[in-house]
Amino acid sequence: QVQLVESGGGLVQAGGSLRLSCAAAGRTLTFSRYAMGWFRQAPGKERDFVASISWSAGTTDYADSVKGRFTISRDNNKSTMYLQMNGLKPEDTATYYCARARGIRMSSQRSEYDTWGQGTQVTVSL
C-alpha cells in the first residue's frame, strides 16, 4: 500500500506564491511507475483537474485556468511530486489533492486515479 501526504498549503494574498508537495509513503519503490496528478475542490463544487505529470516527468498537462501560472514536477528519487503556484488568484482557493494514476498514462479524469491524499487547504485573499 502507498499513502500520499500533501503539504505546503496556507493563506496567501492574491498575486503570491505557494509550493505544494505530495510525498509518497509505504511502497515508494513503485512511485516512478505511475503518472501523478493534482486536483482541487472548492466548497460546494466538484473536484476538478489541475495538472498531471507522466511517470518520467517528461510530459505535463494543465487545466486552462492554471496554465502559465502553475508548474507540476516530480522527483522520483524522493518519491515526491510538487505543484508550484504563482500569481495566485482568489478563485484558486480550494482544497488541493494529489493523486496517483492507475498506471503510466496521464489523465485529467478523476476516475483514472486510484490513490488520493488527504488534501491541503489553499486560501487566496484579496
Side-chain angles (χ1 to χ4, degrees):
Q1 290 281 0
V2 66
Q3 296 82 40
L4 302 176
V5 180
E6 302 98 334
S7 61
L11 174 64
V12 64
Q13 287 189 325
S17 299
L18 284 174
R19 188 194 195 201
L20 305 184
S21 297
C22 171
R27 298 185 64 179
T28 59
L29 288 178
T30 62
F31 180 81
S32 63
R33 299 180 187 175
Y34 297 90
M36 299 286 293
W38 287 98
F39 289 75
R40 66 186 182 186
Q41 187 168 20
K45 295 190 176 182
E46 296 286 317
R47 188 172 297 188
D48 292 331
F49 170 75
V50 174
S52 62
I53 188 166
S54 65
W55 66 273
S56 66
T59 306
T60 57
D61 186 31
Y62 297 91
D64 288 343
S65 59
V66 307
K67 278 181 182 176
R69 300 188 297 123
F70 291 10
T71 303
I72 188 172
S73 62
R74 66 190 293 170
D75 184 339
N76 287 339
N77 290 327
K78 296 181 179 179
S79 299
T80 302
M81 178 178 65
Y82 306 96
L83 185 68
Q84 178 67 43
M85 304 186 295
N86 299 329
L88 283 162
K89 305 175 181 179
E91 51 264 44
D92 294 319
T93 295
T95 301
Y96 283 71
Y97 298 88
C98 68
R100 190 189 73 176
R102 297 182 185 278
I104 62 172
R105 180 173 296 182
M106 294 164 50
S107 176
S108 62
Q109 302 301 308
R110 286 179 297 170
S111 60
E112 294 302 315
Y113 293 82
D114 61 1
T115 303
W116 295 82
Q118 83 289 348
T120 186
Q121 178 66 37
V122 171
T123 303
V124 184
S125 64
L126 288 169

